[in-house]
Amino acid sequence: MTITAPTGASLNVTALELDDIQAGTLRPRPDPYAGAYLALRIDDRRDGQELVRRLAAVVSPAAEVLDPLAQASLSVGFSFAGLQALGVPQDSLDTFAPEFRQGMAARAEELGDVGPSAPAQWERPLGSSDVHVVLVMLAPDVARFEATLATARAALDRLPGIGRVWRQDVYSPHDGRNVLGFHDGISQPGVESSGVPGSNPHEALLKPGEFVLGYLNETGDVSPAPQPEVLGRNGSYLVFRKLYTDVAAFRRYFREQATSPAEEQALAAKLIGRWPSGAPLALAPDHDEPELGADPDRNNAFLYGADDPQGLACPVGSHARRMNPRDAAVTGEVRLHRLIRRGASYGPQLPEGILDDDGGDRGLLFAAVNANLARQFEFVQAQWGNDGKFIGAPDEHDPLIAAHDEHDQLTVPHKPIRRRLKGLPTFVVNRGGEYCFQPGIRALRWLGDRNT
Amino acid sequence: MTGTTSVKSGKGRVHGVVSELSALMTVKEGHIDEMKAAIKVFEDRLRDAGTKSTLQRIGLRSLRFVLFDDDHRLMWLTSFESEWDPYVDDAVALVGLPVWADWLQHTNEFTIEDVDAATNADIKAFLQSGQIEAAGFWDYFGDVTQPQVTKALRVDRAFQQVLDDPAAQEALAHPALAPLLQQAAD
Ligand code: HEM
């Protein structure tokens, strides 16, 4: 299907231009992986433009990274301050999404980033106007990550007007499990015409405009692309958040709630919605099934509505079920709130069996791609994460990612009698993040070539 | 103004145990600020009514004041437990004349000069004069009353307390409690 743009050009709004869209927009991260986030500040506009010209030649298009296991990718995003630093004209800046223009720190109230997660506590310079460019490198192994890093370094070579202001390395721990000991990055939506099937055979592919600007989306509209067309089309919004995770508190909590290691693991799995191997509770209600967890054809092939409406297998309030209720009866339309996740673990593992915090900085470098920050990421965080009305439990919040007060609890349905996990500590603290615009590759050239 | 309190408007749609009363009025020139303040007072009174039993006696289920047309007009939308018509005298009396008159006096339709002399019948006649029947009316809890909901919540709170007790499973194992045990899993 095509539409006519304001410029008179006719645009295809259903078939994705995979050679122009960045890999970092559409491709799930590899698994296993090694990578890094690099934040840059543009002190000199000409150096900034030179950097963008060089990056345009080396960022990976989605067409090249069809097999996530095989390829490394380098992708680039800009904060609103970054687009300003590059000299994007005001009438163009005004066409970006309002949440992006404000930046993540200004959205703290809406996102529940308060108390220890408040922007005032963030790691510098996250949340400030010093973060302009964000380079994301993700590769299937250290060698290919090093090669990607070398490419990024070459793009930065002899540009004194570019400051390197922040770096966060990420890697998959040896057994592929995140800092809490759970396999993650399993469930991903599929996108029409993207070449990625999605991991749940029971979920129809999503319209491309849910993730890429300028294409038809699930509401039947074309997701609004910033103007001019050359800048906005094939772009997307990347959300990243450095989510410190208190692993010792997690272990201690389940030690206190349980009478055996097996029960500890089972209760923790009820909170997550999957077993450590990644096997979903919906398909493996009673114990972990590592073969199921490792089988990409089966480990996400399920729904909740018919098989588990009460949450007896997978609690209605568990993290994974909240973050994607699938066909379960919840307020709203789930397909309007989907995310492509590209999160990655960071920091040293807390050695097994240790229950006391060692002060180490570890957690999830959460990353998600969406075309509509308000309707997708912010909605998921605020409505599904920090609220419980949508599942009929206004007093419950996401047991993993929400900040908890002393009344917070997780109801674990169970026959004959449900259990309630009370006194949940806060496990996750946001140490900073940003909303980035990830332009298409033509748009990168346009940004680099402007004579301002 | 005189009126008999027994006249029924015959308007207002019904859904199950709930009915609606909607009325349109116009705001007196220069009175908009007082009108807004009076609406706030009315809203606060209901929100702070304290005991549910007072609210149950009044019978209001939901209430909405909408100022529109550049603050010139007021739409008053209510839903009421049971039927408005037979209870309109009661509702007017229970809320109390001064509270009604407090905001009604800022509408052009309320023509009573001496508010202190107004009667329940006046208020009722006035409300009915502006009443328009809704073209559509639906309430999720159209088939249950407030006392039923309140009772269900009370019972659930008690039930959850029982379930939190480690001895609950044993206690609920008695055959007489089987229907309760069936509700205990989620
Ligand atoms: C430290 C923080 C977090 C940890 C440790 C974590 C961990 C996990 C794990 C273990 C899973 C199940 C495996 C999988 O399908 O990937 C999962 C699923 C998911 N999480 Fe998180 N998560 C975190 C934060 C977040 C945040 C902030 C969001 C969004 C606002 C989010 C959204 C999701 C989604 C959408 C799924 C997939 C659900 C499904 O499709 O079944 N997560 N997470």
Side-chain angles (χ1 to χ4, degrees), chain A residues 317-330:
Chain A
S318 67
H319 172 65
R321 186 158 170 169
R322 279 173 169 265
M323 295 291 106
N324 179 12
R326 302 179 190 223
D327 64 335
V330 298

Side-chain angles (χ1 to χ4, degrees), chain A residues 70 79 95-96 123 130 150 170 179 244 248 261 263 275 325 342 359 363 370 380 397-398 441:
Chain A
S79 69
T95 61
F96 282 81
E123 197 170 297
D130 281 352
V170 295
V179 296
Y244 165 77
E263 192 189 4
W275 294 95
R342 311 193 82 234
N370 55 188
V380 172
H397 311 109
D398 188 301
I441 293 166

Side-chain angles (χ1 to χ4, degrees), chain B residues 19-23 60 62-64 76-80 84 137:
Chain B
S19 64
E20 58 89 25
L21 189 158
S22 311
L60 272 176
S62 76
L63 183 62
R64 190 174 303 193
W76 193 64
L77 305 172
T78 72
S79 60
F80 187 79
W84 252 115
F137 175 60

Side-chain angles (χ1 to χ4, degrees), chain A residues 190-208:
Chain A
V191 186
E192 277 180 14
S193 100
S194 74
V196 176
S199 54
N200 183 359
H202 306 300
E203 180 181 51
L205 298 180
L206 288 143
K207 294 275 181 257

Side-chain angles (χ1 to χ4, degrees), chain A residues 116-199:
Chain A
S117 293
Q121 313 292 329
W122 287 5
E123 197 170 297
R124 299 290 104 184
L126 297 176
S128 79
S129 55
D130 281 352
V131 175
H132 291 167
V133 184
V134 176
L135 299 182
V136 183
M137 289 148 276
L138 282 171
D141 52 47
V142 173
R144 276 175 281 183
F145 162 57
E146 297 285 352
T148 313
L149 189 59
T151 306
R153 287 218 174 96
L156 283 161
D157 188 39
R158 275 171 296 148
L159 293 179
I162 305 293
R164 302 174 199 198
V165 292
W166 185 74
R167 172 173 170 172
Q168 180 64 61
D169 285 5
V170 295
Y171 69 101
S172 49
H174 63 283
D175 53 3
R177 297 181 181 186
N178 69 16
V179 296
L180 291 174
F182 285 77
H183 211 106
D184 65 10
I186 296 169
S187 176
Q188 290 287 6
V191 186
E192 277 180 14
S193 100
S194 74
V196 176
S199 54

